Amino acid sequence: MTKIAIVDDDPISSQIVSKFLIATLDCDVKLFGDGEEFLRQLPNLPALDVLLLDIILPGMDGIELLKLLPSTLPDPPPVIMLSGQDKVDTAVEALRNGAKDYMVKPFDLVRLEKAVRNIVEMNSLKAEVKELRHQIKKEIYYSDIIASSNEMREVFNFITKVKDANVPVMILGESGTGKELVAQAIHHYGNRSQRPFIAVNCAAIPNDLLESELFGHERGAFTGAVERKEGKFELADGGTLFLDEIAEMDIAMQSKLLRVLQSKLLERVGGKESIPVDVRIISATNANISEATTAKRFRPDLYYRLSTFPIVLPPLRKRKSDIVLLADHFLKKYSAEYGKTGTEFDKGVMRAFSEYTWPGNVRELENIVQRAIIMSEGNVIRLTDIPNLSPVPLSQMDSLEPFLESLSEVPTLEQMNELIIKQALKRERGNISTVARKLNIGRATLYRMIKRFRLNEE
Ligand SMILES: Nc1ncnc2c1ncn2[C@@H]1O[C@H](COP(=O)(O)OP(=O)(O)OP(=O)(O)O)[C@@H](O)[C@H]1O
Ligand SMILES: [Mg+2]
């Protein structure tokens, strides 16, 4: 129901207007004899949809009241001014101060009703637009993260919950699932976004250099320390420090890190001074860090401290609906980049994509699409433009994990395929049909692979 208030010192006029509006609109009308009375009652009134305001009032006049409204209400109602005199300058002043309409008494009631209706319609339109905006914002809120799956929706909810809280977050997930992207989203959409986001890859920096990298060093702290250098902690002050591949940090460094996190003070290498730091820590790993804790390769106290808010990014094969979306996204992105806009996937390509197990996750998909666009001729990406995506069966992937962890470098897909097929052939004593069925690939594909990997020579 539309809520209307009339402030007018002429009771007869306001009675007539009120009766007419109630008869023609679905509305509720409150009457006030002067501005002070209205302001006094205002806190007890429901949010008004329209306010009809007379200009000449005892005490404070209508224009003054109009000017006061924005400072009294966060969202002041639209105002229609009613005036006994037809004076251009008061009309101008009223409109300049935000009145939506201006009517001279005795006014045409039908016109007034129309003016009120217009405003009510505008209000609901505005509310609708606001609601739509809100929805759009929700959909594309973490705009760099392309996803539609329920699994990723949960990730989005998690980001929304933790982004403004200064709590440590640990992001777990296979390689290429988007861990760094999520870390950036937490920072960029959170309340530290105006301060730096600094990423440190603990696996890329030798452990004996990591301390100076993180905490900085004083001049002469060690050979080669010719200048004082600020560490990443100081550079990230007020912002976020992203400790990637945290499981690779050695035990000695873990203790130093823990001390800094507990005291919020650090000492540069070779320094005496305690420097206060305010840094939010986001860590990530694709290793099984809780297992590393059991195996005493990772300090449990540090682990608990960093992982109060853990989030697991599901592998791409567990969120099939994202595959299509991401493939399209990378198609648009890279075809524009390489001047091949309008490129499309040929039929069968999407299917091959969604059936594949993506051990390299989103990064692998991105690379394959990028490469296919370069390779493609005409405006079509054909199956022949993408590498042979023979599916790695899930059961095999799981048994591969310990094997993968034992490798210093991530094997290529080709190497994985070779390994899987070799194992399967051995287990099935070379029975092609059984192997093909168990690996869920065609016999022809299997023969082709055997030939390619020269497994028939063994
Ligand atoms: N949901 C997504 N939407 C768009 N791009 C994505 C998404 N997830 C990952 N990517 C892209 O895939 C690539 C790999 O992501 P990212 O570096 O965040 O993975 P990661 O989990 O940190 O991998 P690693 O463990 O190997 O470091 C990046 O180029 C990233 O932009
Ligand atoms: Mg990463």
Side-chain angles (χ1 to χ4, degrees), residues 369-435:
V369 173
Q370 188 180 6
R371 182 177 164 279
I373 288 166
I374 297 170
M375 302 297 287
S376 66
E377 277 162 30
N379 272 339
V380 186
I381 292 178
R382 299 190 169 77
L383 271 170
T384 46
D385 298 321
I386 57 178
N388 196 336
L389 300 179
S390 48
V392 183
L394 287 182
S395 55
Q396 305 279 336
M397 292 230 15
D398 296 339
S399 69
L400 270 180
E401 253 151 40
F403 162 75
L404 290 179
E405 274 184 22
S406 71
L407 291 176
S408 54
E409 258 179 87
V410 180
T412 64
L413 266 184
E414 287 281 291
Q415 288 168 334
M416 301 239 305
N417 282 338
E418 179 178 349
L419 185 93
I420 289 163
I421 290 169
K422 216 160 141 183
Q423 279 185 349
L425 280 169
K426 205 159 127 197
R427 201 175 321 130
E428 304 304 333
R429 298 194 192 82
N431 187 329
I432 299 290
S433 310
T434 319
V435 171

Side-chain angles (χ1 to χ4, degrees), residues 114-342:
K114 221 170 166 180
V116 171
R117 253 185 219 286
N118 277 343
I119 286 178
V120 172
E121 257 164 45
M122 281 296 271
N123 287 355
S124 73
L125 213 63
K126 266 195 205 149
E128 213 172 291
V129 170
K130 203 169 151 190
E131 172 59 26
L132 278 176
R133 283 238 171 81
H134 185 68
Q135 277 179 14
I136 291 172
K137 225 175 145 189
K138 255 199 248 160
E139 283 303 318
I140 59 159
Y141 196 39
Y142 303 111
S143 55
D144 300 328
I145 309 178
I146 311 292
S148 69
S149 61
N150 288 335
E151 287 82 358
M152 286 303 286
R153 211 162 274 277
E154 266 175 48
V155 173
F156 283 8
N157 285 341
F158 176 85
I159 296 174
T160 308
K161 280 185 193 138
V162 299
K163 66 187 172 58
D164 293 321
N166 185 12
V167 292
V169 167
M170 182 177 276
I171 308 169
L172 304 165
E174 289 179 14
S175 178
T177 44
K179 294 186 293 295
E180 178 143 13
L181 213 55
V182 169
Q184 284 167 346
I186 293 173
H187 175 79
H188 288 302
Y189 290 95
N191 54 16
R192 294 183 163 239
S193 64
Q194 300 305 312
R195 306 289 307 151
F197 174 88
I198 307 276
V200 179
N201 187 333
C202 303
I205 299 164
N207 268 301
D208 49 345
L209 293 185
L210 199 52
E211 183 179 2
S212 118
E213 186 71 17
L214 289 179
F215 307 145
H217 59 247
E218 294 295 339
R219 191 175 144 192
F222 47 84
T223 355
V226 282
E227 291 280 336
R228 152 197 281 190
K229 193 174 154 239
E230 290 194 330
K232 302 290 192 200
F233 260 91
E234 279 179 84
L235 294 177
D237 198 34
T240 305
L241 183 64
F242 177 50
L243 297 175
D244 204 357
E245 317 264 7
I246 186 80
E248 304 309 314
M249 191 180 275
D250 72 10
I251 287 277
M253 190 58 218
Q254 289 170 27
S255 309
K256 289 172 188 160
L257 174 63
L258 182 64
R259 208 160 49 230
V260 171
L261 297 183
Q262 280 166 343
S263 66
K264 298 190 166 64
L265 293 171
L266 64 78
E267 278 158 33
R268 299 195 190 109
V269 177
K272 300 255 173 308
E273 192 191 350
S274 285
I275 302 162
V277 280
D278 164 29
V279 168
R280 181 203 194 142
I281 304 287
I282 302 181
S283 55
T285 180
N286 55 22
N288 186 339
I289 189 163
S290 75
E291 206 175 277
T293 316
T294 323
K296 303 216 162 38
R297 275 178 285 117
F298 206 88
R299 286 185 67 126
D301 43 5
L302 179 60
Y303 171 60
Y304 292 128
R305 189 168 193 108
L306 292 175
S307 67
T308 332
F309 291 88
I311 174 91
V312 179
L313 288 191
L316 193 54
R317 63 182 170 279
K318 298 237 170 96
R319 40 185 167 114
K320 293 234 185 267
S321 64
D322 290 347
I323 295 178
V324 178
L325 208 66
L326 281 161
D328 267 328
H329 166 72
F330 293 132
L331 177 71
K332 287 212 186 69
K333 178 176 165 192
Y334 289 108
S335 54
E337 204 172 308
Y338 298 123
K340 289 187 163 185
T341 31

Side-chain angles (χ1 to χ4, degrees), residues 31-44:
L31 305 181
F32 302 90
D34 62 70
E36 283 85 358
E37 167 69 7
F38 172 71
L39 285 177
R40 241 192 327 275
Q41 296 292 328
L42 196 54
N44 309 321

